[in-house]
Amino acid sequence: MDLIADFAAWAWPRHLNPLSWYIRPLFFLPIAYFCWTRRPPALFLTIAAMLSSFFWFPEPEETDPAMAGVLAMEERLFTDPTWVTWTSLALILLLIGGLCAAFWYRSLGWGLLVINGGLLAKIAWTVANSGSDGLATLLPLGSGMVVMTAVVVLVARRRGLPLSLTGARRGERPTRTATR
């Protein structure tokens, strides 16, 4: 058990690095791509990378007090689990599962709803559980939403894919309508 505690003591401060907060939402793009192209091994590796990304970066020299407040709240939830912890973990699994399902079945509209709805829910959950410190998630998650939405919309427009909630049917190529 000391090994796990030692690892957590080493890894947790690295989660305070702002790069850790900005990179995590961007993992939704390769997850969406590997679901769209139906490559399970790459998908599982990407999910593993996303889950481990909180300790990739060095411990920051200066700590944002709001970020520290959010992480203190998360640490309390994980060191003394309550129903909030288990519900939160279930919602994270639901978010990743919904994202995978939307892109696996090639519905860009549902994919965007899941991405943006999930990240907005994460911001709201963090503010609800850590007060005004939770606003520290607004910029990293908000910019992640903007980047992902822009990439999905750009790819859809360039490839003539519908941004509908129904998705493309298997084997059916979307048609472009002529503009005059």
Side-chain angles (χ1 to χ4, degrees):
M1 202 60 157
D2 286 338
L3 184 62
I4 293 172
D6 290 344
F7 176 76
W10 171 83
W12 198 257
R14 285 160 172 65
H15 191 25
L16 283 168
N17 190 315
L19 290 173
S20 167
W21 290 41
Y22 281 92
I23 194 171
R24 197 161 306 100
L26 298 179
F27 276 102
F28 287 162
L29 286 173
I31 289 171
Y33 175 76
F34 292 132
C35 286
W36 188 274
T37 58
R38 298 193 171 125
R39 296 182 194 170
L43 171 64
F44 294 129
L45 284 173
T46 303
I47 291 172
M50 180 179 68
L51 294 174
S52 69
S53 67
F54 77 96
F55 61 81
W56 290 0
F57 303 99
E59 188 175 343
E61 292 180 23
E62 291 184 33
T63 302
D64 177 350
M67 286 183 167
V70 170
L71 288 188
M73 175 271 302
E74 287 182 355
E75 188 172 29
R76 281 190 307 275
L77 284 179
F78 288 109
T79 55
D80 186 23
T82 64
W83 67 271
V84 174
T85 307
W86 301 114
T87 303
S88 302
L89 291 174
L91 291 173
I92 291 167
L93 293 174
L94 185 64
L95 169 64
I96 292 171
L99 176 72
C100 290
F103 285 97
W104 192 274
Y105 291 105
R106 297 194 164 101
S107 175
L108 295 179
W110 277 111
L112 287 174
L113 280 174
V114 170
I115 288 168
N116 292 317
L119 291 177
L120 286 172
K122 167 64 173 158
I123 293 168
W125 178 90
T126 305
V127 170
N129 286 288
S130 63
S132 62
D133 287 345
L135 294 174
T137 62
L138 195 56
L139 187 58
L141 296 180
S143 60
M145 285 187 335
V146 169
V147 167
M148 288 182 293
T149 300
V151 168
V152 169
V153 169
L154 180 67
V155 168
R157 295 290 180 232
R158 289 210 170 160
R159 295 189 172 212
L161 300 170
L163 284 170
S164 68
L165 298 179
T166 57
R169 297 191 193 282
R170 186 175 289 210
E172 183 180 300
R173 296 190 51 86
T175 58
R176 284 188 180 217
T177 56
T179 56
R180 294 178 192 224

